[in-house]
């Protein structure tokens, strides 16, 4: 039996109390979830346990069968949301970092252990590939493999499946459960309430640096967790009635008209789709369906081989594209204010003299912080000091400040808490309401229901169905309809056509 005790742990950053006398008791043998809004102290708790930060006061005690551990952090392994890897090295070399032998540069790691772990995670065939050539999902699994090879007593998983497919997530959860069964302490930090229900027997709610709720066994449900969080987090108002109101205000010519489009690499083909002003459109489908690649093509991050048409005769619609991973959208070496204005041109940042106007830049940053609901102590704060949700709002605000006709965003609330999700959905709908269009690639039915006006379902590179969400009253109905469309993948209809049962 392993036991981890946190007693009155406190950590401050200036005037901010990240951890405010936090106390908790963890025992091996189960996967424990940590839920809480952005800024609640989850990341700080993880860093303190892992030894990346030192608590100002309080104590952390780890007790194993051999007795009390002196340096707790040495027995803690972390799997981060954004992989901490070396992209210019192979998978096996990444696993060996920190295990190098002093004799002739040999690697002090058991090849059989490496093979067993990589096989367990389904990435053995990538053993000799460099990380820069692999997907984010594979990179995350490499970090999981590193944690497993450490054979630590405590495993902290921070949004570990945010870039994994459903099948990969199930495999990950099975691995976590096996670690717990092997007598390890396993902590899962995620914003996906369903993930808690699927793999945790106990969920603790962290708010304002303290544990304010502790659910276990049958009490671990999405409704119960949401209720614990609801005192500070409002749910997105994605009701069908509000969508009908927005639909009545949708007029004008398409901002972009795709007619018979084909991907240059074959990810999708025969795509016909009109993006209307005032609409939030979700592209949905499992990995490999072509939905993500279509979003990237609309965002002009990916090349279309043919078929794109302009909706107007005078110009091509302007587009802003935001990738799924914040490491690809945030300038980590810049401040909050600098990130908000970094994508703007001279007309926004320069005064009459033609030189950069610091006063104008500061005024723009202050207005943007308020408009895009960014919680920060100062414009000069490092962007990395913000929670994931607030970083995402900065990224989204910077894109919106460009005033493009179309914003394309992949997984807009990946790794974001309930409160920030509501803010982001409201910002996206407000942007579309100004006569623009928003395209989202989404992997969660809940997000589609809360944020979108319509969903376009893809399977095997083709559009197999389109759903007007103003006619959908609840999430189960939407999930059933989307599943029904996807089941037509073996009899794909021409783009824009409806399945033979006539559903729309």
């Amino acid at each position: 039996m392993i036991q981890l005790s946190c007693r009155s742990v406190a950590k401050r950053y200036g005037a901010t109390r990240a951890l405010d006398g936090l106390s908790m008791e963890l025992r091996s043998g189960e996967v424990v979830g940590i839920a809480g809004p952005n800024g609640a102290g989850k990341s700080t708790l993880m860093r303190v346990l892992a030894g990346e930060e030192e608590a100002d006061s309080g104590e952390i005690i780890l007790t194993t069968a051999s007795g009390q551990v002196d340096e707790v952090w040495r027995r803690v392994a972390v799997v981060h949301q954004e992989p901490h890897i070396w992209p210019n090295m192979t998978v096996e070399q990444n696993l060996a970092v920190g295990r190098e032998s002093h004799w002739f540069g040999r690697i002090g790691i058991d090849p059989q252990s490496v093979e067993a772990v990589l096989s367990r995670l389904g990435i053995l065939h990538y053993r000799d590939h460099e990380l820069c050539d692999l997907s984010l999902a594979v990179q995350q699994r490499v970090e999981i493999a590193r944690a497993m090879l450490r054979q630590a007593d405590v495993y902290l998983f921070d949004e570990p499946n945010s870039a994994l497919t459903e099948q990969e997530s199930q495999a990950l959860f099975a691995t976590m459960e096996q670690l717990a069964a092997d007598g390890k302490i396993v902590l899962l930090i995620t914003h996906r309430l369903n993930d808690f229900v699927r793999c945790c027997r106990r969920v603790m709610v962290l708010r304002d640096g303290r544990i304010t709720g502790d659910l276990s066994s049958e009490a671990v449900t999405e409704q119960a967790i949401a209720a614990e969080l609801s005192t500070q987090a409002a749910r997105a108002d994605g009701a069908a009635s509000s969508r009908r109101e927005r639909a009545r205000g949708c007029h004008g010519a398409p901002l972009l008209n795709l007619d018979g489009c084909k991907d240059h690499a074959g990810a999708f083909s025969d795509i016909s789709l009109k993006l209307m002003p005032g609409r939030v459109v979700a592209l949905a489908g499992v990995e490999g369906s072509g939905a993500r690649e279509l979003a990237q093509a609309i965002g002009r991050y990916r090349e279309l081989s043919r078929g794109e048409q302009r909706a107007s005769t005078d110009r091509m619609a302007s587009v802003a594209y935001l990738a799924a991973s914040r490491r690809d959208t945030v300038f980590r070496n810049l401040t909050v204010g600098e990130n908000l204005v970094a994508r703007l041109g001279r007309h926004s940042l320069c005064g009459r003299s033609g030189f950069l106007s610091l006063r104008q830049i500061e005024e723009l940053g202050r207005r943007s912080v308020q408009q895009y609901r960014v919680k920060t102590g100062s414009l000069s704060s490092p962007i990395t000091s913000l929670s994931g949700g607030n970083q995402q709002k900065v990224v989204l605000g910077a894109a919106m400040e460009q005033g493009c006709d179309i914003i394309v965003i992949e997984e807009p609330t990946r790794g974001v808490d309930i409160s920030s999700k509501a803010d982001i959905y409201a910002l996206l709908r407000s942007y579309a309401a100004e006569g623009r269009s928003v395209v989202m690639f989404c992997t969660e039915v809940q997000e589609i229901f809360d944020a979108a006006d319509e969903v376009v379902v893809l399977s095997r590179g083709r559009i197999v169905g389109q759903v007007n969400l103003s006619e959908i009253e609840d999430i189960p109905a939407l999930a059933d309809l989307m599943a029904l469309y996807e089941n037509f993948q073996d009899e794909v209809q021409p783009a824009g056509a409806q399945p033979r049962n006539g559903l729309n």
Side-chain angles (χ1 to χ4, degrees), residues 91 117-127 138 141-142 145:
V91 169
V117 169
L118 294 181
S119 296
R120 191 173 182 179
L121 294 172
I123 55 174
L124 180 60
H125 53 294
Y126 294 121
R127 185 174 189 162
V138 175
R141 281 181 281 170
V142 171

Side-chain angles (χ1 to χ4, degrees), residues 19 54 88 126 139-140 146-147 204 217 229 283 320 372 375 381 388 390 422 462 494-495:
L19 297 177
E54 186 176 351
N88 61 328
Y126 294 121
Q139 292 177 12
Q140 284 189 316
R146 287 175 54 201
M204 293 185 292
S217 301
L229 296 170
L283 303 179
Y372 301 114
K375 296 179 181 179
S381 298
N390 282 296
R462 301 290 185 92

Side-chain angles (χ1 to χ4, degrees), residues 6-72:
C6 294
R7 300 173 183 173
S8 302
V9 176
K11 179 66 179 178
R12 299 173 69 100
Y13 298 99
T16 302
R17 294 183 180 181
L19 297 177
D20 189 17
L22 180 143
S23 296
M24 66 179 185
E25 297 284 340
L26 300 173
R27 292 179 175 81
S28 57
E30 61 183 3
V31 180
V32 179
I34 300 289
N38 280 340
K42 301 188 300 296
S43 296
T44 302
L45 173 62
M46 181 190 70
R47 291 195 297 268
V48 169
L49 290 175
E52 298 172 10
E53 298 270 6
E54 186 176 351
D56 297 330
S57 60
E59 57 182 352
I60 300 174
I61 301 171
L62 179 64
T63 306
T64 68
S66 303
Q68 190 168 309
V69 176
D70 291 332
E71 295 180 302
V72 174

Side-chain angles (χ1 to χ4, degrees), residues 211-226:
I211 300 296
T212 60
D214 196 337
L215 306 173
S216 59
S217 301
E218 290 78 11
V220 178
T221 65
E222 289 190 51
Q223 294 79 7
I225 300 170

Side-chain angles (χ1 to χ4, degrees), residues 458-477:
L458 281 84
S459 178
R460 297 190 179 183
R462 301 290 185 92
I463 293 178
V464 293
Q466 294 180 239
V467 181
N468 185 340
L469 291 175
S470 65
E471 305 300 326
I472 304 297
E473 295 297 335
D474 53 42
I475 294 173

